[in-house]
Amino acid sequence: MNRRDFIQQASIAAGAFIIPVLTPGGRLVASEVLLEPGLDVNIKKRLADAGLNAATAKGASYADIRIGRYLNQFVITREDKVQSIVNTESYGIGVRVIVNGCWGFASLGEAKTETEVAKTAEIAVAIAKANAKLLAEPVQLAAQKGFGEVSYKTPIIKNLFEVPIKEKVDLLMAVNGAAQKNGADFVNSQLFMVNEQKYFASTDGSYIDQDIHRLWPTFTVTGIDKASGQFQTRNSLGTAKAMGYEYLESKPADRITGRKTTLFNSRYDMIDDATLAAVQVKEKIKAKSVEPGKYDLVLDPTHLRLTIHESVGHATELDRVLGYEANFAGTSFATMDKWKSKNFNYGSKIVNFFADKIQPGSMGAVGWDDEGVKSKKWDLIKDGILVNYQATRDQVHMIGETESHGCSYADSWNSVQFQRMPNVSLAPQKEKLSFEEMIKDVKKGIYIVGYGSFSIDQQRYNFQFGGQLFYEIKNGEIVGMLKDVAYQSNTQEFWNSCVKICDDSDFRVEGSFFDGKGQPSQSSCVSHGSSTSRFDGANVINTARKV
């Protein structure tokens, strides 16, 4: 890369104020490139076979190859201006092998010949042989049947990259305009779009071609009280989805305005949400500052998804539990001894968490994981008891299982696949329970919508969470807005205080687009589903007051 290209790419990434948008080997491209079909599946199979044959010829007992093409488009705006439009493409292969009981990995960008792929496989074998000299315990890989030639595609109606840039810019300008028209002083909005074209082949006999699409529409609205200098913000209550552009083209069928928010499952009206946000930031400025103390919390799925993510999702990753992974907030309190006891009380009896990679529209939904394991669903917490973890092919023997959970993922062709969080969701209550019925006996409570700032300790135990919108509940009714709210607890205490969960009519799946893990860091997408839930006796603090 020359200096001019480096400066150009760095400035665009900085303007997007997110994690770097280019993986190693990636390049900025014209938007038309995102519509090019890429390699034919038959060519991918020939390349894969060349690598697999080369690896086994050099002594590999197992090998897999991932041929990946990763496309990204980010549209970033502020008020009446487009700040940046980023199109990137990254293509290459990653080869993983087991030799003498040890892993080896090598990758190559822009690999398009069988000779190049074979050479990369031979390098992976050489690395495995070198690593094996220091091996303490050989890899135990769970058996996996081959699926032959199969494919999966995210069910979409309208390809994100076929929609003209102008149409996307016009949408964001309309979002910004609606917010400003209704009193917002500042507003920025973004569309993040990803297409992962992934081909997996292994010596087990699988040739898996997948076409994954994901979208995240988001914005931040700011309101200022010029007399006092106070300001408040409200972020989008939309969520990331594994869908096409149709997600943004229809009004949601289940919009509920009575709770002063926009709820949806399969469609999102971004303009409507921005309009509402502009009104709500003005309300937040005038809202009463919360009095610290004990409150019953009623948590909307737009908020609860982050609490689930941090206190359950990451805490039940087996590599964290074992101490193999400690990046991004450490290991986990949910250690093996607690699981082995078969009676560790993670939450109350109505708390049931399940992991899955199959839920339509969810960010984690794929046909097969990056180890060629068919996607599935399994329990993590049953009737409040810790019953399982998230594990990959080389981990499941540690928890007495013989079949991988199918939650391996790599964010690029040049990244080693490892255990990544599937969708982790809180099951709804089976008995019918509406929001109104849930709060009717709450004497002193707070209803929280949207996720905000948070912190959690190095074992996923002690934490503090904020939110976007806070409503005071008195004697079973919402009586007004609050601000400066955060709650503190620990994971076990918090989930044991869960006393009610709304039924499946309120169940919503909320997505996270950039979930970091690992070192070197990788970013993945994941969703968390829940219905509105109630937690009694929570410790609420005032974030604006000095201690």
Side-chain angles (χ1 to χ4, degrees):
M1 182 186 297
N2 62 40
R3 182 176 181 275
R4 183 177 66 180
D5 289 342
F6 173 81
I7 292 173
Q8 181 186 31
Q9 292 182 15
S11 64
I12 291 175
F17 50 82
I18 58 170
I19 61 174
V21 298
L22 290 178
T23 59
R27 60 193 179 103
L28 292 172
V29 296
S31 60
E32 291 79 9
V33 173
L34 304 183
L35 294 174
E36 293 176 359
L39 293 179
D40 181 81
V41 68
N42 294 316
I43 296 175
K44 293 178 185 177
K45 186 175 186 296
R46 287 202 301 271
L47 293 174
D49 280 338
L52 296 177
N53 292 335
T56 54
K58 289 293 184 178
S61 59
Y62 169 83
D64 61 44
I65 290 182
R66 290 176 297 110
I67 302 173
R69 181 171 179 243
Y70 296 80
L71 308 177
N72 297 274
Q73 185 176 85
F74 303 150
V75 183
I76 317 293
T77 74
R78 178 170 177 175
E79 284 89 54
D80 61 348
K81 294 180 175 59
V82 177
Q83 290 191 300
S84 61
I85 297 172
V86 181
N87 300 304
T88 73
E89 178 191 39
S90 179
Y91 165 78
I93 63 160
V95 184
R96 190 179 66 155
V97 301
I98 297 176
V99 183
N100 299 332
C102 192
W103 287 118
F105 177 80
S107 63
L108 180 66
E110 301 294 330
K112 292 180 180 175
T113 69
E114 294 173 35
T115 300
E116 289 175 317
V117 177
K119 182 62 177 177
T120 305
E122 290 171 358
I123 293 172
V125 169
I127 291 171
K129 288 179 177 179
N131 289 340
K133 294 177 182 178
L134 302 174
L135 184 64
E137 185 177 341
V139 173
Q140 296 184 48
L141 200 63
Q144 177 60 52
K145 74 170 185 176
F147 291 97
E149 297 184 40
V150 291
S151 64
Y152 171 88
K153 182 175 181 177
T154 302
I156 62 172
I157 297 173
K158 194 168 186 179
N159 189 325
L160 298 165
F161 299 108
E162 292 178 352
V163 178
I165 287 289
K166 184 180 184 303
E167 187 173 332
K168 297 166 186 172
V169 169
D170 287 347
L171 171 63
L172 296 185
M173 289 294 101
V175 167
N176 297 356
Q180 289 183 290
K181 181 180 178 181
N182 285 275
D185 293 284
F186 300 102
V187 57
N188 56 66
S189 58
Q190 303 87 30
L191 290 177
F192 299 120
M193 292 153 282
V194 170
N195 177 208
E196 296 182 350
Q197 299 171 14
K198 303 195 296 186
Y199 188 86
F200 174 91
S202 74
T203 50
D204 292 324
S206 289
Y207 296 90
I208 302 169
D209 192 39
Q210 300 197 86
D211 187 19
I212 312 299
H213 295 256
R214 300 184 180 107
L215 165 70
W216 182 30
T218 186
F219 62 75
T220 299
V221 166
T222 302
I224 300 172
D225 178 26
K226 295 178 175 60
S228 65
Q230 292 186 59
F231 71 93
Q232 291 288 340
T233 63
R234 207 272 256 172
N235 294 338
S236 163
L237 297 180
T239 188
K241 284 282 188 179
M243 292 181 66
Y245 200 75
E246 67 276 3
Y247 178 49
L248 296 171
E249 289 191 322
S250 302
K251 289 184 179 295
D254 53 347
R255 179 173 178 268
I256 301 174
T257 56
R259 290 189 245 159
K260 299 187 176 182
T261 183
T262 300
L263 307 183
F264 57 91
N265 275 316
S266 59
R267 295 294 186 268
Y268 175 45
D269 190 333
M270 198 175 184
I271 297 173
D272 183 71
D273 192 20
T275 301
L276 190 59
V279 174
Q280 289 173 333
V281 291
K282 297 296 185 182
E283 290 182 55
K284 286 178 74 173
I285 291 172
K286 298 176 182 178
K288 181 174 65 174
S289 189
V290 69
E291 285 296 323
K294 295 287 186 180
Y295 291 81
D296 295 341
L297 300 180
V298 178
L299 303 183
D300 190 81
T302 56
H303 169 85
L304 195 54
R305 65 98 152 170
L306 182 60
T307 311
I308 292 171
H309 181 89
E310 301 297 342
S311 67
V312 181
H314 280 307
T316 53
E317 294 171 326
L318 187 56
D319 53 357
R320 288 193 190 277
V321 170
L322 296 170
Y324 297 168
E325 168 66 37
N327 205 18
F328 291 103
T331 55
S332 174
F333 79 97
T335 49
M336 294 279 283
D337 59 305
K338 296 180 175 67
W339 166 73
K340 288 178 180 177
S341 74
K342 301 185 184 301
N343 62 4
F344 178 68
N345 196 222
Y346 207 107
S348 65
K349 289 186 177 181
I350 67 169
V351 170
N352 293 279
F353 278 100
F354 61 92
D356 82 77
K357 297 280 289 180
I358 58 177
Q359 192 163 31
S362 66
M363 299 300 284
V366 293
W368 290 262
D369 79 344
D370 283 353
E371 290 187 314
V373 179
K374 183 71 174 173
S375 294
K376 58 165 45 171
K377 177 180 176 182
W378 69 99
D379 291 327
L380 294 171
I381 296 165
K382 188 71 173 174
D383 300 328
I385 303 299
L386 176 66
V387 296
N388 212 334
Y389 297 106
Q390 312 159 32
T392 54
R393 286 187 69 180
D394 59 352
Q395 295 174 336
V396 288
H397 70 277
M398 302 177 192
I399 53 174
E401 297 185 24
T402 58
E403 184 179 283
S404 171
H405 293 155
C407 54
S408 179
Y409 175 81
D411 69 354
S412 172
W413 49 267
N414 63 359
S415 298
V416 179
Q417 59 266 56
F418 71 128
Q419 192 273 304
R420 291 310 310 261
M421 193 187 303
N423 304 310
V424 173
S425 299
L426 175 66
Q429 187 169 302
K430 292 180 180 179
E431 297 79 14
K432 290 294 182 183
L433 182 67
S434 67
F435 174 84
E436 291 73 21
E437 291 169 327
M438 172 178 282
I439 71 168
K440 69 181 181 181
D441 61 343
V442 174
K443 303 298 183 184
K444 178 186 177 185
I446 302 174
Y447 172 50
I448 303 180
V449 176
Y451 65 93
S453 62
F454 77 98
S455 64
I456 195 163
D457 71 11
Q458 295 297 302
Q459 288 195 306
R460 300 279 163 181
Y461 196 62
N462 298 291
F463 60 68
Q464 177 176 308
F465 285 90
Q468 292 294 314
L469 300 170
F470 313 96
Y471 294 95
E472 185 176 13
I473 303 172
K474 276 189 176 180
N475 299 319
E477 295 184 355
I478 291 177
V479 297
M481 188 180 280
L482 296 171
K483 63 183 176 184
D484 308 323
V485 176
Y487 59 91
Q488 295 177 325
S489 189
N490 66 60
T491 297
Q492 195 176 8
E493 178 182 69
F494 176 77
W495 290 108
N496 272 280
S497 71
C498 184
V499 295
K500 291 184 179 181
I501 303 172
C502 286
D503 60 50
D504 58 5
S505 67
D506 189 61
F507 188 84
R508 281 161 277 150
V509 177
E510 302 289 322
S512 174
F513 212 76
F514 297 117
D515 176 36
K517 183 183 174 183
Q519 195 168 358
S521 176
Q522 295 190 39
S523 178
S524 73
C525 300
V526 65
S527 291
H528 304 291
S530 70
S531 298
T532 305
S533 304
R534 177 174 145 188
F535 302 79
D536 283 357
N539 182 40
V540 170
I541 64 170
N542 185 303
T543 59
R545 295 184 185 178
K546 295 181 179 179
V547 179

